[in-house]
Amino acid sequence: MDIFETMETCRAMRRLKPDPVSQEILEKLVWSATRAPNAGNAQLWDFVIVTEEKGRQFLGDLLRTKLGTGLSKPKDTKTPGARQATAFWQLVTAFEQIPAIIFPCIRNGYPPADPNPLFMSSSIYPATQNLLLAARALGLGTVMTTFHIIDQQAIKEYFGIPSEVFIGATIPIEYPEDSFGPVKRKPTDEVIHWEYWGTNEVI
């Protein structure tokens, strides 16, 4: 599979199988993430991989507690939006069954003399995208979520993540129940502005 096919078929997968993912594969995903560009090549990232049942159960319980009454199974399952909502519901209600969850994390330390938090985003999100693409190339299902923001402090305390460390994403890792296929995106002629904003035509 070449890189273009990988990008074209890297769908968000929220319906995941509970089959185990090996330590070797999880380490390969992090290796791929750390090939990404980052500010000053400072490599201020760390990756917390949660595979133990106790930790996964904590995350599932935390999600459901925080979402509370807002978490209910959608009645309509036919429209695209409803299908996505149903997949979200399935992911959250069975979150502890996901065999691995990865938290890409980053420290605010660049530039060293005057650290700017903007560089955290410019470093951790390319690494996260690398991880997602590597997972797709290996046949794994993933979805980039921000579930950690529901209670980042509780997650940091439970998993021993230092308070000054920023969690960039919460990524479930598993083999997908659904099929890979082309992602749905706008045509490029709708988003390209040639030479200046306001025209989509080549001058």
Side-chain angles (χ1 to χ4, degrees):
M1 177 182 297
D2 68 25
I3 186 63
F4 296 102
E5 182 182 356
T6 303
M7 291 186 291
E8 173 64 14
T9 60
C10 191
R11 286 179 173 174
M13 295 291 185
R14 296 179 178 86
R15 288 168 21 94
L16 306 172
K17 298 177 181 178
D19 303 345
V21 179
S22 72
Q23 178 178 331
E24 179 183 7
I25 288 179
L26 294 170
E27 289 176 352
K28 191 174 185 67
L29 294 180
V30 173
W31 180 91
S32 301
T34 57
R35 302 310 96 180
N38 60 99
N41 200 28
Q43 303 181 58
L44 297 171
W45 45 43
D46 287 276
F47 299 83
V48 178
I49 303 176
V50 179
T51 59
E52 290 185 351
E53 182 179 359
K54 184 179 178 182
R56 293 185 284 116
Q57 187 69 57
F58 165 78
L59 290 170
D61 291 343
L62 182 66
L63 281 173
R64 290 185 290 271
T65 298
K66 291 295 181 178
L67 291 171
T69 57
L71 183 64
S72 58
K73 186 176 182 179
K75 296 180 181 180
D76 176 15
T77 59
K78 296 181 180 179
T79 64
R83 285 195 296 269
Q84 183 174 354
T86 300
F88 169 82
W89 176 84
Q90 291 175 318
L91 177 64
V92 173
T93 54
F95 200 78
E96 62 274 10
Q97 296 179 27
I98 298 164
I101 297 97
I102 299 180
F103 294 108
C105 302
I106 191 94
R107 296 174 185 272
N108 182 27
Y110 187 84
D114 186 21
N116 186 330
L118 291 175
F119 289 109
M120 292 195 296
S121 296
S122 71
S123 296
I124 199 60
Y125 291 121
T128 300
Q129 178 67 1
N130 268 22
L131 193 155
L132 296 174
L133 291 173
R136 168 62 191 102
L138 293 169
L140 292 164
T142 64
V143 57
M144 179 172 171
T145 80
T146 54
F147 285 158
H148 55 281
I149 67 175
I150 64 169
D151 196 336
Q152 189 164 185
Q153 186 60 35
I155 291 172
K156 285 183 177 182
E157 290 177 1
Y158 186 91
F159 294 106
I161 300 171
S163 59
E164 72 274 12
V165 170
F166 172 74
I167 301 175
T170 303
I171 305 177
I173 305 289
E174 193 34 271
Y175 295 98
E177 287 190 4
D178 298 318
S179 300
F180 291 107
V183 297
K184 296 179 180 179
R185 300 290 187 269
K186 294 178 180 179
T188 55
D189 60 7
E190 292 185 16
V191 297
I192 293 176
H193 303 273
W194 291 101
E195 313 306 339
Y196 65 94
W197 194 283
T199 181
N200 297 98
E201 298 178 1
V202 180
I203 298 175

